[in-house]
């Protein structure tokens, strides 16, 4: 067996294209990708589309788009090609047929003409006798010599004695008595291979030396090991990954949470934030929670992948993603601005003043949990006039506020230096002179500047807006406040 610690990894991600990229699938892809990148190996993407009814090109595109967004580039596969083309199983049928024919010719597999109706009847009869019994194909066609012109499946001649053993990098040695296996089907009546045959033929042909996938496939692995041996192929190493479950312990689906990678992209998480959460799902490195992608590559190791299934934690996911937006070591200012632009554009702000954008960023980092949220927090800087929240406007832009807005505007218009300290001093002395509570002036000022009852510090906002725009908004706020009088 190839030792994954010694040989250069050739690993793969083999999605069935019947939907979007599920975050559980992305986690499987990630562990493979990290391992390949850590050791300068190859990461192969193969599309397992032999189930024609469920597969679609649209889904292939969606999965690949999400892979690209996450930054998990592949060395071989769709779009990039490679030495083992094609990378779509639907285009590799001849290889599976050749393998099935070889097994039949060597007496290791056989054609089975039993019909579905016959097998159903046998299953029912067994159930009537013993409701708990597990039906296994009884080998009716095992030694059949004739080849009638009837539809057939190809079955593997499973040895009845002994055990099939493999050593899993996560679960350790797994031994399954062969008596527990039936003569499983390799090829359907329409000539298309089933998953086990196609996966083995391809993993061998593509030189995969470590097969890492979800634990839901661990029950297929003994059958695959038998096939490797029967076909005379070297058996790769295996690593099965613990499952991602819902809070209730069910298989995670969209009933429980957002499960497609693209939903997290649309919401405005960074790819690195998503990868960070996914990497920590089943893998750990001491107490560290937050990792850059490079750190994940450097630190990932199978030795720290746990066996226990985990529960997907939406809140933790959001917290990890937020941390990536908060820390400029994880998302640089330039990256942040690039990332937030499309979200601003979605809100109708397609050409934000770059200076204001740059200066507002430090005020946003601490507050915005995702980029959609960031665009919301940034909105009022660019929208002239800002959108006025109804409740805040009614509450704080009252007729009597107009005087304070104009008075404060007058006090600061005389300032030589437009700094937070100077603004604060001016604000305090204005409030003292009026002999009112701070908030009596502060809240109308906040609403006039931002349209909102909550915003970053007033003086910081005024620095970002600049003197002219701040004064303009204070005056417009005063007009609005007066307006409230005339329509009241
Ligand atoms: N097409 C299978 C799936 O999507 C891949 C299983 C494997 O990695 O062997 O579950």
């Amino acid at each position: 067996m190839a030792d994954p610690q010694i040989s250069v990894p050739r690993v793969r991600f083999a999605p069935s294209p019947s939907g979007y990229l599920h975050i559980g699938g992305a986690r499987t892809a990630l562990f493979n990708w990290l391992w390949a990148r850590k050791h300068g190996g190859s990461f192969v993407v193969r599309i397992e589309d032999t189930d024609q009814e469920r597969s679609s090109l649209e889904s292939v595109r969606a999965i690949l788009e999400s892979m690209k967004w996450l930054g998990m580039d592949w060395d071989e596969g769709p779009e990039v090609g490679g030495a083992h083309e094609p990378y779509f199983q639907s285009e590799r049928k001849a290889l599976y047929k050749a393998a099935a024919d070889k097994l039949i010719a060597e007496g290791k597999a056989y054609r089975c003409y039993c019909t579905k109706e016959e097998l159903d009847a046998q299953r029912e009869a067994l159930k009537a006798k013993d409701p708990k019994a597990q039906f296994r194909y009884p080998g009716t066609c095992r030694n059949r010599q004739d080849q009638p012109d009837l539809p057939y499946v190809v079955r593997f001649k499973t040895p009845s004695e002994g055990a099939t053993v493999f050593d899993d990098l996560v679960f350790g040695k797994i031994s399954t008595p062969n008596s527990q296996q039936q003569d499983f089907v390799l090829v359907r009546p329409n000539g298309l291979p089933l998953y086990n045959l196609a996966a083995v033929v391809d993993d061998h042909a593509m030189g995969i030396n470590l097969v890492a996938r979800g634990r839901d496939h661990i029950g297929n692995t003994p059958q695959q090991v038998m096939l490797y041996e029967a076909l005379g192929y070297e058996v790769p190493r295996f690593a099965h990954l613990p499952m991602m479950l819902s809070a209730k312990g069910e298989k995670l689906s969209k009933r429980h949470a957002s499960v497609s990678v693209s939903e997290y992209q649309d919401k405005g998480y960074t790819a690195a934030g998503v990868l960070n959460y996914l990497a920590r799902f089943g893998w750990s490195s001491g107490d560290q929670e937050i990792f850059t992608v490079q750190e994940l590559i450097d630190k990932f190791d199978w030795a720290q992948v746990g066996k226990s299934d985990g529960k997907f934690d939406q809140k933790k996911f959001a917290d990890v993603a937020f941390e990536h937006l908060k820390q400029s070591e994880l998302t640089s200012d330039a990256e942040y601005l690039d990332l937030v632009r499309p979200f601003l554009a979605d809100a109708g702000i397609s050409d934000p003043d770059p200076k204001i954008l740059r200066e507002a960023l430090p005020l946003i980092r601490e507050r915005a949990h995702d980029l959609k949220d960031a665009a919301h927090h940034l909105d009022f800087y660019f929208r002239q006039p800002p959108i006025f929240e109804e409740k805040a406007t009614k509450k704080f832009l009252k007729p009597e506020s107009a005087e304070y807005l104009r008075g404060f505007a007058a006090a600061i218009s005389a300032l030589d230096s437009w700094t937070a300290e100077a603004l604060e001093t001016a604000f305090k002395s204005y409030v003292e002179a009026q002999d009112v509570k701070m908030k009596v002036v502060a809240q109308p000022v906040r609403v006039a500047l931002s349209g909102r009852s909550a915003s970053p510090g007033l003086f910081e906002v005024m620095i970002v807006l600049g003197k002219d725009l701040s004064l303009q908004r204070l005056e417009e706020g005063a007009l609005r406040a007066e307006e409230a009088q005339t329509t009241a």
Side-chain angles (χ1 to χ4, degrees):
M1 267 187 211
D3 186 338
Q5 308 291 344
I6 297 170
S7 51
V8 177
R10 277 189 63 82
V11 290
R12 68 357 173 232
F13 176 53
S16 302
S18 57
Y20 43 76
L21 180 59
H22 188 285
I23 47 172
R27 195 277 311 257
T28 299
L30 175 62
F31 283 18
N32 280 292
W33 181 79
L34 292 173
W35 189 241
R37 292 294 168 264
K38 176 171 178 158
H39 292 289
S42 297
F43 176 58
V44 178
V45 171
R46 178 175 75 229
I47 304 297
E48 302 209 324
D49 59 347
T50 55
D51 186 341
Q52 291 166 316
E53 311 233 302
R54 299 185 59 207
S55 304
S56 74
L57 269 178
E58 198 191 325
S59 162
V60 173
R61 261 195 299 275
I63 291 170
L64 297 181
E65 279 313 309
S66 287
M67 294 281 292
K68 285 185 218 169
W69 177 70
L70 287 169
M72 288 195 276
D73 55 336
W74 54 100
D75 306 294
E76 292 174 32
E79 297 178 2
V80 303
H84 304 284
E85 280 180 309
Y87 291 92
F88 285 75
Q89 287 191 327
S90 57
E91 295 169 23
R92 301 173 63 82
K93 290 177 207 155
L95 284 166
Y96 315 131
K97 183 172 181 331
D101 288 349
K102 180 171 184 278
L103 290 171
I104 294 173
E106 293 174 1
K108 295 171 181 166
Y110 59 93
R111 295 183 181 88
C112 165
Y113 299 89
C114 296
T115 61
K116 184 175 176 302
E117 291 69 30
E118 284 165 351
L119 294 174
D120 285 347
Q122 290 171 18
R123 193 174 291 115
E124 287 307 312
L126 179 72
K127 223 178 169 183
K129 257 204 251 156
D130 176 1
K132 282 200 205 120
Q134 171 100 27
F135 176 72
R136 281 207 206 104
Y137 178 69
T140 320
C141 298
R142 239 185 190 228
N143 299 311
R144 195 169 171 158
Q145 297 303 323
D146 59 338
Q147 281 189 40
D149 189 16
L150 290 171
Y152 63 86
V153 298
V154 178
R155 287 185 184 271
F156 185 68
K157 217 179 251 182
T158 303
S160 52
E161 311 211 319
T164 299
V165 184
F166 66 94
D167 201 5
D168 191 280
L169 285 181
V170 177
F171 286 85
K173 192 169 153 190
I174 295 181
S175 173
T176 314
N178 291 338
S179 57
Q180 283 183 9
Q181 305 283 352
Q182 61 174 337
D183 285 356
F184 52 95
V185 177
L186 301 175
V187 181
R188 296 183 179 92
N190 64 5
L192 289 176
L194 266 94
Y195 158 68
N196 281 323
L197 176 66
V200 166
V201 167
D202 286 344
D203 283 336
H204 169 74
M206 294 177 180
I208 302 301
N209 52 19
L210 169 64
V211 171
R213 58 186 167 206
R215 187 183 61 74
D216 48 340
H217 284 291
I218 209 164
N220 288 317
T221 308
Q223 298 177 3
Q224 295 186 12
V225 170
M226 286 181 195
L227 280 173
Y228 279 102
E229 287 169 351
L231 286 161
Y233 300 161
E234 187 178 354
V235 182
R237 291 301 300 266
F238 293 95
H240 288 91
L241 312 178
M243 300 301 288
M244 202 174 259
L245 304 175
S246 73
K248 282 192 191 148
E250 294 162 339
K251 197 169 173 185
L252 186 70
S253 78
K254 59 180 170 199
R255 281 189 300 121
H256 309 111
S258 298
V259 288
S260 79
V261 168
S262 61
E263 283 177 76
Y264 291 95
Q265 176 182 10
D266 293 346
K267 197 165 168 44
Y269 288 165
T270 63
V274 174
L275 292 182
N276 188 156
Y277 178 78
L278 294 181
R280 284 285 292 103
F281 203 99
W283 170 79
S284 59
S285 178
D287 295 338
Q288 191 171 346
E289 289 289 349
I290 303 299
F291 298 81
T292 62
V293 176
Q294 191 56 49
E295 279 178 308
L296 292 176
I297 293 173
D298 294 341
K299 297 188 175 188
F300 179 78
D301 199 346
W302 294 104
Q304 280 88 40
V305 176
K307 292 190 187 64
S308 313
D309 291 341
K311 290 184 176 158
F312 177 75
D313 184 338
Q314 185 94 48
K315 172 151 186 338
K316 188 156 176 223
F317 196 146
D319 287 349
V320 171
F322 179 26
E323 214 50 51
H324 275 258
L325 283 177
K326 230 196 264 184
Q327 297 184 25
S328 53
E329 301 79 38
L330 296 170
T331 305
S332 71
D333 284 359
E335 262 177 281
Y336 200 123
L337 296 182
D338 278 350
L339 290 168
V340 80
R341 261 175 225 282
F343 291 89
L344 280 169
D346 280 352
I349 299 163
S350 45
D351 196 14
D353 180 325
K355 185 171 173 285
I356 292 188
L357 194 52
R358 241 185 354 263
E359 289 179 7
L361 184 58
L363 308 182
I364 300 310
R365 273 199 190 269
E366 285 290 318
R367 292 180 167 75
H369 289 255
D370 52 59
L371 293 162
K372 218 176 191 173
D373 195 23
H376 171 73
H377 282 290
L378 285 165
D379 193 280
F380 72 83
Y381 294 98
F382 303 104
R383 211 182 286 274
Q384 180 53 27
I387 295 171
F388 284 87
E389 289 172 358
E390 205 185 313
K391 211 169 138 200
T393 312
K394 259 202 188 130
K395 187 160 174 202
F396 298 114
L397 292 189
K398 290 198 199 129
E400 59 270 29
S401 335
E403 179 199 334
Y404 297 127
L405 290 168
R406 290 208 173 100
F408 176 56
I412 57 175
S413 68
L415 288 177
D416 292 334
S417 73
W418 193 256
T419 62
E421 299 75 47
L423 286 165
E424 188 171 357
T425 312
F427 178 79
K428 280 191 178 146
S429 52
Y430 175 72
V431 168
E432 262 167 41
Q434 301 307 306
D435 198 19
V436 289
K437 284 197 180 137
M438 270 218 283
K439 65 176 185 199
V440 172
V441 181
Q443 281 306 74
V445 167
R446 186 183 308 283
V447 178
L449 294 173
S450 67
R452 301 172 182 183
S453 55
S455 74
L458 292 182
F459 314 122
E460 293 164 303
V461 168
M462 283 191 272
I463 300 292
V464 174
L465 289 174
K467 189 169 184 176
D468 290 348
L469 197 51
S470 299
L471 292 176
Q472 185 185 334
R473 287 197 180 179
L474 291 172
E475 175 54 26
E476 283 166 2
L479 291 172
R480 245 172 216 273
E482 285 170 347
E483 191 101 329
Q485 183 174 39
T486 49
T487 54

